[in-house]
Amino acid sequence: MADGISSFWGPVTSTIECCEKNYAYSSYIAEFYNTISGVPGILLALIGLINALRQRFEKRFSILHISNMILAIGSMLYHATLQHVQQQSDETPMVWEILLYMYILYSPDWHYRSTMPTFLFLYGAAFAAVHAYLRFGIGFKVHYVVLCLLCIPRMYKYYIHTEDTAAKRIAKWYVATILVGSVCWFCDRVFCKTISQWPVNPQGHALWHVFMSFNSYFANTFLMFCRAQQRGWNPKVKYFLGVLPYVQIEKPKAQ
C-alpha cells in the first residue's frame, strides 16, 4: 500500500501490493510485517530438513523442505522490495513447489518412473520462462489453484487409508491452517480500505504467511508418515518440545 515515502529500492514495479504501509519502519523494507512473517517458514522447513536427513528419508523430502525454504526466502525478498523481479522469485517457486508435491503424491503408483519427473521438470522450466515474459496476473492465481486442486484427491486417499490417529490429526491441522490462512489473505485483499481505517492493522497477509508456513510443515510431515508406511518403516508421530509433530521411523536392518 503506497504512502509516498522514499525507498532504497526505487519505485514499486510489482503487480501486487498488500494492505500494509510501504516503508513504515525502514527505507530498506517495503512491507515490514509481510517480510518478517517469512521467518517461521524458514525455521519450520529447517526443522523438517534436519529430521529428514537425520533419519535418512528419501531425497525427495529433503528437496521438499529446501523448496519450502526457497519459497519463504523468495517471499521475503519480494515483500521487502516490491520489485517485479523479486515477485517472480516468490511466484515461480510456488509453482515449482506444488509440482514437487504432485510428484511425491502420485509417483508411488506411477509405472513409468522417469516420465513423471521429466515432465514436471520441463513443465516447471517452461512456466518460469513464460511467466517471466508475460507476467501473468489473475492467470497465475487460477493456474496455481488448479495445480493445488489436482493434489486434493490423492491427499484425501492417503488420509482415508491412514489409521494412525496422530497422523490423521496432522492432516486435520493441515486443512485447518489453510482455511484460516485463506480467510486472512481474503480479508487483507478485499477489505483493505476498511482495515486501513482501523486503529491497528491485523496484517492479514503476514498471518497468511505464518499459517501457510505451518500448513507446509504439516503437509510434509503427513506425507513423510504415509511414505514411511508404504516403505514398511514403522512410522510414529512424536512431538518436538511436546508441541511440534515430527515422524520417527524404524527401518529394517537391511535398509
Side-chain angles (χ1 to χ4, degrees), residues 4-244:
I5 298 178
S6 61
S7 70
F8 175 81
W9 304 105
V12 172
T13 59
S14 63
T15 59
I16 299 174
E17 288 187 75
C18 301
C19 194
E20 180 181 355
K21 288 184 178 180
N22 295 349
Y23 301 101
Y25 299 96
S26 169
S27 61
Y28 296 97
I29 303 177
E31 296 177 341
F32 179 79
Y33 291 106
N34 289 342
T35 300
I36 64 172
S37 58
V39 174
I42 297 175
L43 295 178
L44 288 168
L46 181 60
I47 292 172
L49 176 62
I50 292 173
N51 184 45
L53 292 173
R54 181 175 61 87
Q55 299 193 82
R56 298 176 62 188
F57 270 89
E58 293 166 301
K59 291 181 180 179
R60 65 186 70 182
F61 290 106
S62 297
I63 296 172
L64 181 59
H65 290 299
I66 292 172
S67 75
N68 292 156
M69 279 192 265
I70 292 173
L71 177 56
I73 293 170
S75 176
M76 293 176 71
L77 289 174
Y78 163 48
H79 288 289
T81 64
L82 291 181
Q83 299 297 298
H84 175 69
V85 172
Q86 279 71 33
Q87 183 177 350
Q88 301 296 305
S89 72
D90 177 34
E91 294 178 344
T92 300
M94 288 174 63
V95 173
W96 289 349
E97 183 183 69
I98 202 67
L99 293 176
L100 183 55
Y101 277 117
M102 292 177 68
Y103 170 72
I104 291 174
L105 284 165
Y106 287 98
S107 62
D109 294 333
W110 193 261
H111 298 293
Y112 304 98
R113 295 297 179 88
S114 62
T115 305
M116 177 177 283
T118 301
F119 170 77
L120 293 177
F121 174 82
L122 293 176
Y123 186 92
F127 170 81
V130 174
H131 185 40
Y133 180 74
L134 296 180
R135 301 189 179 190
F136 296 126
I138 187 65
F140 166 79
K141 296 181 180 66
V142 172
H143 173 250
Y144 183 74
V145 169
V146 170
L147 292 178
C148 291
L149 291 175
L150 291 174
C151 295
I152 292 178
R154 192 68 174 188
M155 283 289 283
Y156 181 69
K157 179 181 178 181
Y158 280 9
Y159 176 81
I160 62 177
H161 283 87
T162 299
E163 297 181 357
D164 187 90
T165 303
K168 280 183 172 288
R169 188 180 302 117
I170 294 173
K172 292 176 181 177
W173 289 344
Y174 162 79
V175 174
T177 50
I178 196 171
L179 289 177
V180 176
S182 296
V183 171
C184 295
W185 178 89
F186 179 82
C187 292
D188 186 82
R189 292 290 298 166
V190 176
F191 303 114
C192 182
K193 289 184 179 180
T194 302
I195 291 173
S196 299
Q197 298 174 0
W198 292 359
V200 178
N201 186 334
Q203 304 299 339
H205 196 85
L207 290 174
W208 154 261
H209 286 166
V210 175
F211 279 113
M212 291 309 295
S213 296
F214 281 96
N215 177 263
S216 296
Y217 180 84
F218 293 146
N220 297 357
T221 304
F222 179 70
L223 290 175
M224 290 170 73
F225 183 94
C226 294
R227 183 57 176 166
Q229 274 192 325
Q230 293 172 349
R231 299 296 302 270
W233 291 345
N234 191 28
K236 291 181 175 62
V237 175
K238 302 292 183 178
Y239 293 89
F240 180 65
L241 298 177
V243 178
L244 193 65

